[in-house]
Amino acid sequence: MSFRDVPKVELHLHLEGAAPPAFIRALAKEKKADIGGIFDAQGNYAYDGFDEFLKVYEAATSVLTTPEDYARLTRVVLEECAEQGVIYAETFLSPDFCGGGDVKAWWEYCAAMAEAAESAEKDLGITLKGIITCIRHFGPEKARAPAVCAAETVGDFITGFGMAGAETVGKPGDYAWAFDCAREAGLRLTCHAGEWGGAQMVRDTLDQLPGIERIGHGVGAAHDGALMERLARENITLEVCPGSNIALGVFRYWRDHPIEKLRENGIPVTVSTDDPPFFHTTMTQEYDKLNEVFGWNEEDFAALNQDAIAAAFCDEKTREDIVKRLKA
Ligand code: ADE
Ligand code: ZN
C-alpha cells in the first residue's frame, strides 16, 4: 500500500539536505569544484555516522554559491515534495551558507528563494515557508548573524527561527541572544533537541530558550514520563523524522522508534524527512513505514496532518486554506 496521494504537511526539511545528489554533482561540474569524495559508486551521498554526515552535507552545500543556485534548488526540492503529496512545507534556511551571514547578501538569496517558492505555489500547488537556522556547532557567536538576517527578513516567507547542527556543542542557553533577537522580531521558534541529547537536552532547550513552540526530533523525551507530560501539557509539537533517525543510527530498527509512544502520551507529533536523499527516504516512504510497522491508517494520517498544520509557522489565512485542502 502506498500513501503517496494523501495530502501532507512537512515541517522539518533542510533545503540543502533535500538537494538531489545529481543536482549537486551537476552544479559541481559547472563550477569545476571537486567534491567527488562525497558520493558512493551509485552516485548517492556517502557518509558513516552523524559527524561525517554533517561534513558531507557542508561539502555538498559548498557548490551552492549564488542566489540563482538557491532558486534552482528551491524549485527542484518543491517539485519532489509535490510529487510526494506535500501541499505545505517549511524549510530550514541558513544564512551561513547563503552569503556567509552578510545581511545584504542574505536579502538577495532570500528574495530568490521566495520568488521560486511563489512560482511553485502557482504551478505545483505547494506552499513553502522558510525557517532561518543558526548552526549549533559553528558556536554561539556565529549564531547572531543568522538571527539578525531573520529579524531583517521576517514576513510572508520567512516566519520562523531555529537551530540545527551538532547538539553536543554548548548549552541551549549559550544561543539565547540569537533566539531573543528572533523572538523579539516576531519570528516563531523551533530548535533541534533530543535527537542525540536525550530528554535533558529537550528540557534544557525549553527552560533556556523562552518561546520555543516546537522541537526538532525530540525523540529522547520518550525515556522520561514527566517530560512527556510537560510536552503534552504545554502543547509542544515534535518534528519527528523517523527515517532520518534510523539512517543515522539513533534507533536500530523501525519497531524501536518511539513515535507511537510519544503520540500515545498526548504529545502533538508530526512526520518529516529531514534530509531525504541523504537518508534514502521520501514522505511517502515515511507514511508507508508507519503503516507497516505501527498500523497507522488514513485516519491517523489525517489527524497527523491536522496537528502539523495547527503547529505550522504560517499566517491564519494560509492555515485555513491548507486545513480545507487536507479535508477535501
Ligand atoms: N542538519 C541537517 N540535518 C540535521 C540533523 N538531522 N540534525 C542536526 N542538524 C542537521
Ligand atoms: Zn533536522
Side-chain angles (χ1 to χ4, degrees), residues 12-14 92 164-165 192 195 216-217 239 241 244 274-275 279:
H12 189 120
L13 179 70
H14 299 262
F92 296 122
H192 283 60
E195 178 187 22
H217 298 281
E239 305 156 5
C241 307
S244 158
D274 208 6
D275 308 283
F279 307 141

Side-chain angles (χ1 to χ4, degrees), residues 31 63-71 109 112:
K31 299 183 181 197
V63 304
L64 295 155
T65 56
T66 67
E68 174 59 21
D69 294 339
Y70 270 89
Y109 280 91

